């Protein structure tokens, strides 16, 4: 793939972090669109891959944020065209919505360092499997979603069963965060409870290390160089 990877960003403090670093490492051209600042969406034929970041709005709040409807349509079209898609937090909810699933307020917020447990399919997944069966992550959400039809559930937590899913071969939704770099952690200080991040340097470094490997494998799969665990075991 030689085209542009579009990154849709919804607020200043939810940037691509390690996602952008892994894209740059592979020489990919990226185009960050700040939708909250009025940036428009690209034409589908100009997008080689799509990354959809998080944000404080709900995927269903189209009356407050009209761009969400167009964003969901773009995601659906790119999935239809078999383009790689990575949705993080709100981005995962928008991906689920674009695939016809319901997005709705959960029973309460899930915020802080924790783990997700891989399902049987998650353990066999090319992106998540090598770091299972428990994956360290940072949770920060209150909404959740139904699993889209024909999607594969990859990970769950005790609070919310739908934490990661795959649709087709390279459309992934991650309800949690593994992408923060030092700049993102710094930007999050003013938005989270005091001490939640500052006093957890070791946990940040673990999420950073695992996140980097997960995101690297996502790009390997997206660019056609990743082999699934099941496929390797049969070789």
């Amino acid at each position: 793939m030689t085209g542009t990877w579009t990154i849709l960003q919804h607020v200043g403090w939810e940037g691509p972090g390690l996602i952008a670093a892994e894209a740059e490492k592979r020489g990919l051209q990226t185009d960050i669109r700040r939708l909250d600042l009025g940036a428009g969406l690209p034409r589908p034929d100009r997008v080689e891959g799509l990354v959809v970041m998080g944000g404080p709005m709900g995927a269903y709040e189209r009356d407050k944020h009209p761009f969400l409807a167009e964003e969901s349509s773009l995601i659906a079209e790119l999935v239809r065209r078999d383009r790689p898609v990575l949705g993080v937090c709100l981005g995962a909810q928008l991906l689920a919505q674009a695939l016809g699933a319901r997005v709705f307020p959960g029973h309460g917020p899930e915020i802080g360092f924790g783990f997700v447990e891989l399902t049987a399919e998650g353990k066999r997944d090319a992106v998540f499997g090598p770091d299972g069966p428990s994956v360290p992550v940072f949770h920060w959400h209150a909404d959740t979603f139904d699993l889209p039809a024909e999607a594969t559930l990859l990970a769950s937590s005790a609070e919310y069963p739908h934490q990661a899913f795959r649709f087709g071969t390279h459309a992934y939704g991650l309800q949690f965060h593994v992408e923060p770099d030092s700049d993102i952690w710094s930007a999050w200080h003013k938005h989270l409870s005091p001490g939640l991040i500052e006093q957890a340097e070791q946990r940040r470094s673990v999420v950073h290390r695992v996140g980097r490997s997960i995101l690297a494998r996502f790009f390997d799969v997206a660019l056609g160089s990743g082999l699934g665990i099941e496929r390797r075991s049969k070789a």
Side-chain angles (χ1 to χ4, degrees), residues 35-172:
L35 301 184
D36 57 317
L37 299 181
L41 294 171
R43 286 175 15 203
D45 58 357
R46 298 287 183 89
V47 181
E48 200 66 60
L50 181 69
V51 177
V52 187
M53 301 308 305
M57 63 284 291
Y60 43 80
E61 294 183 310
R62 297 183 175 188
D63 54 337
K64 298 179 182 178
H65 308 281
F67 59 78
L68 290 171
E70 295 181 29
E71 190 174 2
S72 185
S73 295
L74 175 65
I75 295 169
E77 177 61 20
L78 291 174
V79 171
R80 188 188 70 79
R81 296 185 183 210
D82 199 30
R83 295 287 192 267
V85 177
L86 175 62
V88 177
C89 202
L90 171 64
Q93 297 162 14
L94 286 167
L95 175 59
Q97 182 183 76
L99 295 171
R102 181 176 62 117
V103 180
F104 54 96
H107 56 75
E110 185 179 35
I111 302 174
F113 290 97
F115 292 85
V116 295
E117 303 298 324
L118 298 186
T119 64
E121 290 293 337
K123 293 172 186 176
R124 291 193 288 267
D125 182 68
V127 173
F128 282 99
D131 281 305
S134 295
V135 178
V137 303
F138 190 84
H139 298 287
W140 191 1
H141 73 103
D143 289 348
T144 188
F145 52 87
D146 291 332
L147 187 68
E150 300 184 23
T152 300
L153 182 65
L154 301 176
S156 303
S157 73
E159 292 294 324
Y160 285 94
H162 298 160
Q163 288 284 352
F165 68 92
R166 184 187 70 240
F167 186 85
T169 58
H170 46 220
Y172 280 80

Side-chain angles (χ1 to χ4, degrees), residues 181-190 197:
D181 57 11
S182 58
D183 289 340
I184 291 180
W185 289 123
S186 296
W188 284 2
H189 284 173
K190 66 178 69 173
I197 293 176

